[in-house]
Amino acid sequence: MFMPNWESSLNEKNADAGADRRTHLRDRLIDIAQETVAAQGLAGLKARDLAAAAGCALGAIYTAFHDLDELVLRVNARTLARLEAALDAAFVDAEAEQALEAMARAYLSFARKDEPSWRALFEHRLPPGAPVPAWYADARNRLFSRLDAPLAQLLPGRDAMARAALARTLFSAVHGVVALGLEEKIAETPPKLLDEQLGVLIRLLAAGLMMESARLI
Amino acid sequence: MFMPNWESSLNEKNADAGADRRTHLRDRLIDIAQETVAAQGLAGLKARDLAAAAGCALGAIYTAFHDLDELVLRVNARTLARLEAALDAAFVDAEAEQALEAMARAYLSFARKDEPSWRALFEHRLPPGAPVPAWYADARNRLFSRLDAPLAQLLPGRDAMARAALARTLFSAVHGVVALGLEEKIAETPPKLLDEQLGVLIRLLAAGLMMESARLI
DNA sequence: AATTCGGCATGAACATCGTTCATTTTTCGA
DNA sequence: TCGAAAAATGAACGATGTTCATGCCGAATT
């Protein structure tokens, strides 16, 4: 049968075995892959280099993961967690518009600071037909929910469903500006201009939201 | 020396030789690659399959292009041209907000209809350090300028530079919503909801723009 | 018309990937 | 202590992009 059943199996089960000795192979591989992706991007992650850096055989990788894709998802999950933390740290409990702007700027800042890792979130594609693991989809969706509180403050009348959709839309809009702004394939946006345009976007959206909220009252 | 000097060399120079007989190898390869990318995405483009489909030897590809990357850029340039045409067709010379919405919907429609080709525009990365050809950067920047007319109508006071930056920002925001909305890696957005959220985004941005314009008068 | 010559096409060969699997080594409970 | 199960090993496989010595063909020259 071989039900893979990652998601939450080996991490805790064998935590005892690696307590004093070297950490578990699986975790070590994720650590090294994370550093590699952070330094050289997704394209820099090679099975043989990874095995050499981990001090294990090439085939050992495939005893810990079914794929390199699975390893990449694991690395991306960590990146998502750091991104979540960065957004949470930027969250100011003040005015809603300020909170939205702070989170947008935190997103841009994270993308700049950890650009290769951040890029890997969107560059990576799993083979066609392969289902996205639920734990990964959850991690992605948690990102959007960070916008929920400011939106609830701005639009108290909306139900949770509509707020979630709006949160996703606003997040996507900010992501688009950051993603195309950092893309060198287009004429590079000067950093100062990108900062400014992100502020413009937030101001426009916030103005629209306030108008929307006024219409509902 | 072997100065490659693509950009505009062989297309016209040898047009006579392929007038009655088979078309030039270079154009044939781009045609086939375009169909392959449209059907199977960037990942489906293989040098050997391409040579077999074109009825030429494997090495012949590299007499027409320096790289497969160069071929991909040519395919992407055609996709950009079709996207431009789609945006122009959607352009309505009426109210600015309607024009913006029409172009945003045309963008989403194009991405849906030609999803693999559209994806290839953003999935493809050229090797690190390789400069983006000027003709490709120009084609990309032409896209943004499509928003210039509606923006000039909404914000008559702004100079061309600021309008160009704003056009880029709005385009990027729409792109972000479409890109993340069509991404299956996240929980798939139902098509109807995506249509709706794109409308929400445009409405919010347009409201913000009108407020901005009112402030300037 | 014969001959030379230059450039293009050829496809086997090479380098580099991810992945597999027969084999060896290690682990650990009876 | 021993034997079976699990894990690790690394050579081998198949795919892939790219190169290069070789052959071929057409045009220019004599």
CSV table of all heavy atoms in Angstrom, one decimal, chain B residues 15-22:
chain,number,residue,atom,x,y,z
B,15,ALA,N,14.0,36.1,-46.1
B,15,ALA,CA,12.6,35.9,-46.4
B,15,ALA,C,12.4,35.5,-47.9
B,15,ALA,O,11.5,34.7,-48.1
B,15,ALA,CB,11.9,37.2,-46.2
B,16,ASP,N,13.3,35.9,-48.7
B,16,ASP,CA,13.2,35.5,-50.1
B,16,ASP,C,13.3,34.0,-50.3
B,16,ASP,O,12.6,33.3,-51.1
B,16,ASP,CB,14.2,36.2,-51.0
B,16,ASP,CG,15.6,36.1,-50.4
B,16,ASP,OD1,15.7,35.5,-49.3
B,16,ASP,OD2,16.5,36.6,-51.0
B,17,ALA,N,14.3,33.4,-49.6
B,17,ALA,CA,14.6,32.0,-49.8
B,17,ALA,C,13.4,31.1,-49.4
B,17,ALA,O,13.2,30.0,-50.0
B,17,ALA,CB,15.8,31.6,-49.0
B,18,GLY,N,12.6,31.5,-48.5
B,18,GLY,CA,11.5,30.7,-48.0
B,18,GLY,C,10.2,31.1,-48.5
B,18,GLY,O,9.2,30.8,-47.9
B,19,ALA,N,10.2,31.9,-49.5
B,19,ALA,CA,8.9,32.4,-50.0
B,19,ALA,C,8.0,31.3,-50.5
B,19,ALA,O,6.9,31.1,-50.1
B,19,ALA,CB,9.1,33.4,-51.1
B,20,ASP,N,8.5,30.5,-51.5
B,20,ASP,CA,7.6,29.5,-52.1
B,20,ASP,C,7.8,28.1,-51.4
B,20,ASP,O,6.9,27.4,-51.2
B,20,ASP,CB,7.9,29.3,-53.6
B,20,ASP,CG,9.4,29.0,-53.8
B,20,ASP,OD1,10.2,29.4,-52.9
B,20,ASP,OD2,9.7,28.4,-54.8
B,21,ARG,N,9.1,27.8,-51.0
B,21,ARG,CA,9.4,26.6,-50.4
B,21,ARG,C,8.9,26.7,-48.9
B,21,ARG,O,8.2,27.6,-48.5
B,21,ARG,CB,10.8,26.3,-50.5
B,21,ARG,CG,11.3,26.1,-51.9
B,21,ARG,CD,12.8,25.7,-52.0
B,21,ARG,NE,13.0,24.4,-51.2
B,21,ARG,CZ,12.7,23.2,-51.6
B,21,ARG,NH1,12.1,23.1,-52.8
B,21,ARG,NH2,12.9,22.2,-50.9
B,22,ARG,N,9.4,25.7,-48.1
B,22,ARG,CA,9.0,25.7,-46.7
B,22,ARG,C,9.5,27.0,-46.0
B,22,ARG,O,10.5,27.6,-46.5
B,22,ARG,CB,9.7,24.5,-46.0
B,22,ARG,CG,11.2,24.6,-46.1
B,22,ARG,CD,11.9,23.4,-45.5
B,22,ARG,NE,13.3,23.6,-45.3
B,22,ARG,CZ,14.2,22.7,-45.0
B,22,ARG,NH1,13.8,21.5,-44.8
B,22,ARG,NH2,15.4,23.0,-44.8
